[in-house]
Amino acid sequence: MPMLPSVNEFREISRGYHKNPSHSLSLAADAYTKDAWFSVDQLEIIAKTWQWVCHVEKVREPGSYVCANIAGQPIAVVRDREGVLRAFYNVCKHRAHHLLEGSGNAARITCPYHAWTYKLDGALLRAPHTENLAGFETSKICLDQVQVEEFHGFIYVNLDPNAASLVSQSGELGKEIGQWAPDVADLTFAHRLTYDIKSNWKNVVDNFLECYHCPVAHKDFCELVDMETYKVTTHGIYSSHMADAGNSPNAAYDTSNATVKTHAVWWLWPNTCLMRYPGRSNMLVLNIIPAGTDRTLETYDFFLETPEPDDMEKEAIRYIDDVLQVEDITLVESVQRGMNTPAFQQGRIVNDPHGSGKSEHALHHFHGLVLDSYRRASA
């Protein structure tokens, strides 16, 4: 098992960080480039926080299930016959074979190795040819459960059995989503984009959390939204990023028939991004998945009013895939290369006390949460 950081190592990695973003340096480059810190990220951040799995439609019906990989661990989320949402390690208690694959609907959970069969609540129902085993009782065997929560249209799990609920940790986030995206649970999956990025996951989050780079790197985006109204607010374990839609034609995609007139975005600690773009009713989920010290996987899921995107949404998907993501991936991969040189250790946080989009205070907020996790790991 990887060693947790010492108190001295924590002091070193947190050097230069100040609680006031106007006085602070960014997170040290070692946090993005050293394998030891990536291990801490997996063990102390990803494995101990609420991780996005899917839209509620995937597990709405009794017997429905979906599989996921969280911090390298195989997980299955299941809706049992009584309608209770459950999550388990997707591992058989006999010889550790996986139980379920992908998504679907099942009356029972049967291991494809030796046909040990479990009820949807995780209890072992039968195990072939075990009647002659001494002291073997099916009633005493159950799949290992994982915390699971349905939160405003989406399903999240947490591998930490002691973690507080997402609803209790997230403050006013649910209220904000309810205000700006009240129909999110009624939307349906329409499209997924996937990316494999040569950068540490924290660089990807950093880039998402500030629009200081937008006028330079995303000129089309700065026409899509009214940058003068762009406001970023940090709270507890999330930040909100709000702007009005632009008032004139833009080069991103045509929003002249849009019914949603705001750009409403929420980042949820540590790696989930919920986005409502101008257009029809919609919710985009960007899931940032740490895959290595200098590798990140992304899924970009589009939940829309209909399974088939309309013409405006097709253009929005094209813009995000062909333009916006290309621009951002180029940026974060360049930053990762730069962090691996002796020329960079830390940079100054650029802060606007009024919370404009052209500020890095949300990035600084994220760094503070990272360092809080590092400190707990070193204690």
Side-chain angles (χ1 to χ4, degrees):
M1 185 174 177
M3 293 287 290
L4 293 177
S6 68
V7 172
N8 286 338
E9 287 170 322
F10 169 72
R11 286 199 192 101
E12 191 60 32
I13 203 68
S14 61
R15 192 183 304 278
Y17 176 84
H18 193 285
K19 287 188 176 182
N20 184 335
S22 291
H23 295 269
S24 187
L25 295 177
S26 63
L27 193 58
D30 282 357
Y32 301 79
T33 61
K34 301 301 182 185
D35 291 344
W37 289 110
F38 178 77
S39 296
V40 178
D41 288 349
Q42 288 285 67
L43 290 170
E44 298 297 318
I45 297 179
I46 305 302
K48 293 186 177 181
T49 52
W50 288 96
Q51 294 291 304
W52 183 87
V53 176
C54 64
H55 189 276
V56 68
E57 71 173 350
K58 275 274 196 181
V59 287
R60 187 169 273 146
E61 300 303 319
S64 57
Y65 68 86
V66 62
C67 299
N69 188 289
I70 307 296
Q73 303 299 315
I75 303 298
V77 176
V78 179
R79 182 81 67 177
D80 73 15
R81 290 297 166 191
E82 286 68 47
V84 177
L85 191 65
R86 301 180 183 275
F88 312 98
Y89 282 96
N90 189 21
V91 176
C92 184
K93 301 301 284 186
H94 173 222
R95 293 268 299 282
H97 198 278
H98 76 271
L99 295 166
L100 297 167
E101 284 193 63
S103 60
N105 194 286
R108 296 182 177 89
I109 301 169
T110 300
C111 179
Y113 197 4
H114 298 100
W116 281 36
T117 300
Y118 303 83
K119 294 192 291 185
L120 296 181
D121 64 2
L124 182 63
L125 184 63
R126 62 175 176 267
H129 310 299
T130 57
E131 59 273 8
N132 295 320
L133 298 183
F136 183 86
E137 298 179 45
T138 57
S139 63
K140 293 184 177 179
I141 297 174
C142 187
L143 299 178
D144 287 11
Q145 295 207 32
V146 170
Q147 288 206 72
V148 61
E149 191 168 338
E150 181 178 333
F151 183 80
H152 289 272
F154 295 109
I155 306 300
Y156 299 80
V157 298
N158 195 320
L159 302 187
D160 181 1
N162 300 313
S165 68
L166 177 55
V167 71
S168 68
Q169 288 189 44
S170 58
E172 296 293 303
L173 176 59
K175 182 178 178 181
E176 288 190 29
I177 294 174
Q179 176 184 350
W180 295 101
D183 56 353
V184 61
D186 299 323
L187 300 175
T188 188
F189 174 78
H191 194 75
R192 167 172 279 194
L193 301 172
T194 59
Y195 305 95
D196 193 334
I197 304 170
K198 299 181 181 68
S199 179
N200 186 273
W201 72 279
K202 296 188 294 296
N203 267 328
V204 178
V205 174
D206 285 351
N207 181 73
F208 181 87
L209 288 176
E210 51 92 355
C211 219
Y212 181 41
H213 70 281
C214 292
V216 179
H218 302 314
K219 298 187 185 304
D220 295 340
F221 179 81
C222 291
E223 296 175 347
L224 177 65
V225 304
D226 181 356
M227 290 300 293
E228 295 303 313
T229 66
Y230 204 121
K231 180 83 170 177
V232 178
T233 310
T234 62
H235 322 255
I237 63 164
Y238 77 97
S239 57
S240 57
H241 307 244
M242 303 292 180
D244 295 336
N247 295 318
S248 57
N250 69 84
Y253 62 93
D254 181 14
T255 59
S256 57
N257 294 320
T259 54
V260 172
K261 301 290 188 180
T262 54
H263 172 75
V265 172
W266 298 271
W267 166 79
L268 173 62
W269 161 257
N271 58 330
T272 303
C273 309
L274 307 171
M275 297 170 277
R276 192 165 170 94
Y277 270 42
R280 283 199 302 173
S281 183
N282 68 89
M283 184 67 88
L284 285 58
V285 180
L286 172 58
N287 194 25
I288 298 169
I289 305 164
T293 303
D294 57 0
R295 185 184 182 207
T296 300
L297 304 178
E298 279 188 347
T299 58
Y300 229 117
D301 285 341
F302 294 75
F303 298 95
L304 307 174
E305 293 180 19
T306 56
E308 179 66 26
D310 66 14
D311 289 343
M312 176 172 51
E313 289 159 347
K314 288 176 182 176
E315 275 299 292
I317 293 168
R318 177 209 59 78
Y319 162 68
I320 289 170
D321 193 29
D322 293 349
V323 180
L324 190 63
Q325 280 293 93
V326 171
E327 292 168 345
D328 276 332
I329 291 170
T330 299
L331 293 171
V332 298
E333 290 187 341
S334 176
V335 168
Q336 188 70 26
R337 290 192 298 270
M339 285 185 167
N340 274 291
T341 71
F344 181 85
Q345 183 54 33
Q346 286 174 287
R348 189 66 184 263
I349 293 292
V350 175
N351 180 50
D352 174 7
H354 300 293
S356 79
K358 300 173 187 177
S359 174
E360 295 177 325
H361 59 286
L363 179 151
H364 173 266
H365 171 242
F366 168 54
H367 292 179
L369 292 171
V370 169
L371 290 173
D372 284 345
S373 294
Y374 289 179
R375 185 189 68 253
R376 286 192 295 269
S378 70

